[in-house]
């Protein structure tokens, strides 16, 4: 039987699969690359949207998690842990369940979108809310590995980055070459590092003639890399990237330097404007953090005619609270045609 077999099997030749005995997959990857007609017109370039929200748990984290759980299981691990702003915990919980492993997730109390919390709970993880932010939760997850036999599946685990680099492979395979610019939100900075690894690996193997400029975007209230120092109290409506001390800070800077790219900041208002534009004009409902890439293009402009891919990292259904709280409550009318016509006239 043909069909997509999940990214570990599809891109196995490009991944470090030493020691793997059993692949844990939910058939992640192979996500759509949608041409953004209106956005292209607005910025005067050729813009594509990589819809990572269509992965099995609704975010790009599934790419890293199929690798991390596959390797952890093959190594004999029985339980995994992560600190998370939500999406990593949803993915870890799902892949651990698939592998028959235990899963502990540490999330910042009250600062995780409802859909992500629901996922972690329903997939059966041990969900613990931490009185503190993501940076503290990640530190605790690391510390926990010193007190009990448990494998960390945050992106400080190199298997996560390995899996996530396949996003770059898919772009080159589909476009026939790398784009001129890759625009991507930056939180803990693992994904921008992973894409750069994928692009360079393909380029050195002559699968692409060019390399893209890496353009990363942080939320202005949580922009340590832009500011050049740690942010102790990060704050943004985009809870996915509410991070003050990114674990992959150094590799992210390397990606930006080597590619002649940049990491810049967008405000919450700019981010929400882009998020709303994507839904209304491209019919793509992503989560607020994902719109940072598009907000960046709209704010800073792009070279005319360039070919750009924006990575839309997570599904809008993850964060219904933000969506609903930003809109007026829908009107209620009597259930008669007269009342309906009166309202619509
Ligand atoms: N977009 C979304 C939807 C995310 O969930 C994250 C990170 C990012 C962008 C940023 O990616 O951290 O690799 O720079 N979410 C992590 C989590 C931190 O715990 O789910 P990054």
């Amino acid at each position: 039987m043909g069909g997509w077999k999940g990214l570990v099997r599809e891109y196995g030749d490009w991944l470090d699969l030493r020691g793997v005995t059993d692949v844990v997959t939910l058939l992640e990857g192979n996500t759509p690359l949608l041409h953004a007609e209106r956005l292209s017109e607005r910025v005067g370039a050729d813009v594509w949207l990589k819809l990572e929200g269509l992965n099995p748990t609704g975010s790009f984290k599934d790419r890293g998690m199929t690798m991390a759980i596959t390797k952890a299981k093959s190594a004999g691990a029985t339980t995994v842990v992560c600190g998370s702003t939500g999406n990593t915990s949803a993915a870890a919980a799902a892949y651990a369940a698939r592998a028959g492993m235990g899963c502990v997730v540490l999330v910042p109390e009250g600062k995780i979108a409802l859909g992500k919390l629901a996922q972690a709970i329903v997939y059966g993880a041990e969900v613990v809310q931490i009185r503190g932010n993501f940076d503290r939760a990640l530190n605790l997850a690391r510390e926990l590995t010193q007190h009990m036999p448990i494998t960390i599946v945050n992106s400080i685990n190199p298997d996560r980055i390995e899996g996530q680099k396949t996003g770059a492979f898919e772009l080159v395979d589909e476009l026939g070459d790398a784009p001129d610019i890759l625009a991507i939100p930056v939180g803990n900075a693992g994904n921008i590092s992973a894409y750069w690894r994928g692009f360079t690996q393909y380029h050195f193997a002559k699968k692409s003639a060019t390399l893209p400029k890496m353009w990363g975007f942080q939320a202005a209230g949580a922009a340590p890399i832009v500011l050049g120092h740690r942010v102790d109290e990060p704050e943004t409506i985009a809870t996915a990237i509410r991070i003050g001390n990114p674990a992959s800070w150094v590799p992210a800077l390397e990606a930006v330097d080597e590619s002649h790219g940049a990491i810049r900041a967008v405000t919450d208002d700019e981010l929400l404007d882009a998020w709303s534009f994507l839904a209304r004009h491209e019919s793509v409902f992503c989560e607020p953090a994902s719109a940072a890439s598009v907000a960046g293009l709209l704010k800073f402009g792009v070279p005319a005619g360039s070919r750009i891919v924006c990575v839309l990292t997570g599904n809008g259904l993850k964060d219904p609270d933000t969506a609903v709280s930003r809109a007026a409550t829908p009107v209620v009318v009597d259930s008669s045609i007269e009342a309906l016509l009166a309202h619509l006239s």
Side-chain angles (χ1 to χ4, degrees):
M1 212 172 71
W4 182 257
K5 297 185 182 64
L7 59 86
V8 173
R9 292 199 176 95
E10 297 288 341
Y11 287 111
D13 292 347
W14 300 88
L15 300 170
D16 176 4
L17 294 179
R18 275 171 298 181
V20 168
T21 50
D22 192 7
V23 175
V24 182
T25 180
L26 295 169
L27 306 184
E28 57 297 307
N30 197 24
T31 54
L33 186 63
L34 184 69
H35 191 251
E37 310 288 338
R38 310 260 167 69
L39 183 57
S40 296
E41 226 171 83
R42 193 165 157 193
V43 300
D46 197 14
V47 186
W48 301 78
L49 307 172
K50 181 73 168 156
L51 304 186
E52 289 293 276
L54 296 184
N55 274 299
T57 78
S59 88
F60 73 96
K61 303 288 180 178
D62 294 345
R63 293 183 184 275
M65 212 52 79
T66 182
M67 268 298 283
I69 299 290
T70 290
K71 296 274 275 199
K73 185 167 192 203
S74 298
T78 56
T79 313
V80 296
V81 62
C82 66
S84 176
T85 57
N87 281 323
T88 299
S89 57
Y95 284 82
R98 183 81 181 179
M101 294 165 77
C103 179
V104 178
V105 307
L106 310 180
V107 296
E109 182 191 13
K111 293 291 182 184
I112 157 172
L114 189 62
K116 304 173 189 179
L117 187 61
Q119 286 180 292
I121 293 169
V122 174
Y123 287 128
E126 174 76 44
V127 180
V128 183
Q129 299 198 72
I130 301 297
R131 290 194 191 96
N133 60 28
F134 166 84
D135 304 288
R136 191 69 203 115
L138 176 56
N139 282 340
L140 273 176
R142 285 191 212 236
E143 268 181 58
L144 193 63
T145 62
Q146 276 145 41
H147 294 272
M148 55 190 283
I150 195 164
T151 302
I152 193 160
V153 291
N154 280 101
S155 56
I156 55 170
N157 176 333
D159 302 324
R160 281 276 314 278
I161 303 291
E162 272 292 285
Q164 284 174 210
K165 76 184 180 188
T166 59
F169 297 163
E170 288 178 18
L171 293 180
V172 173
D173 287 344
E174 188 154 354
L175 294 171
D177 201 347
D180 300 316
I181 293 167
L182 185 91
I184 189 166
V186 173
N188 211 24
N191 211 27
I192 190 170
S193 314
Y195 267 82
W196 182 240
R197 188 191 291 180
F199 283 124
T200 49
Q201 197 176 352
Y202 247 31
H203 181 61
F204 290 125
K206 303 217 177 339
K207 296 274 281 186
S208 72
T210 62
L211 283 166
K213 288 185 165 53
M214 303 296 283
W215 283 16
F217 297 100
Q218 299 198 291
I225 302 181
V226 178
L227 296 170
H229 60 76
R230 211 176 64 198
V231 174
D232 289 332
E233 302 290 340
E235 208 43 82
T236 167
I237 193 161
T239 51
I241 53 172
R242 187 174 169 272
I243 294 174
N245 188 20
S248 296
W249 193 322
V250 172
L253 279 183
E254 281 167 6
V256 166
D257 287 348
E258 289 171 17
S259 74
H260 309 290
I263 296 189
R264 289 170 287 186
V266 291
T267 65
D268 279 7
D269 281 347
E270 290 162 345
L271 203 145
L272 289 169
D273 282 349
W275 172 74
S276 173
F277 179 88
L278 282 170
R280 287 168 182 234
H281 300 290
E282 303 293 356
S283 304
V284 174
F285 183 26
C286 63
E287 64 172 288
S290 305
S293 52
V294 173
L297 302 193
L298 294 174
K299 179 172 186 174
F300 297 103
V302 299
S306 51
R307 194 153 68 153
I308 302 170
V309 172
C310 294
V311 184
L312 298 187
T313 46
N315 196 304
L317 294 171
K318 295 264 192 181
D319 192 356
D321 287 335
T322 301
V324 172
S325 69
R326 299 234 335 137
T329 308
V331 69
V332 180
V333 301
D334 287 340
S335 61
S336 70
I337 190 67
E338 292 79 13
L340 181 58
L341 287 172
H343 171 66
L344 295 176
S345 63

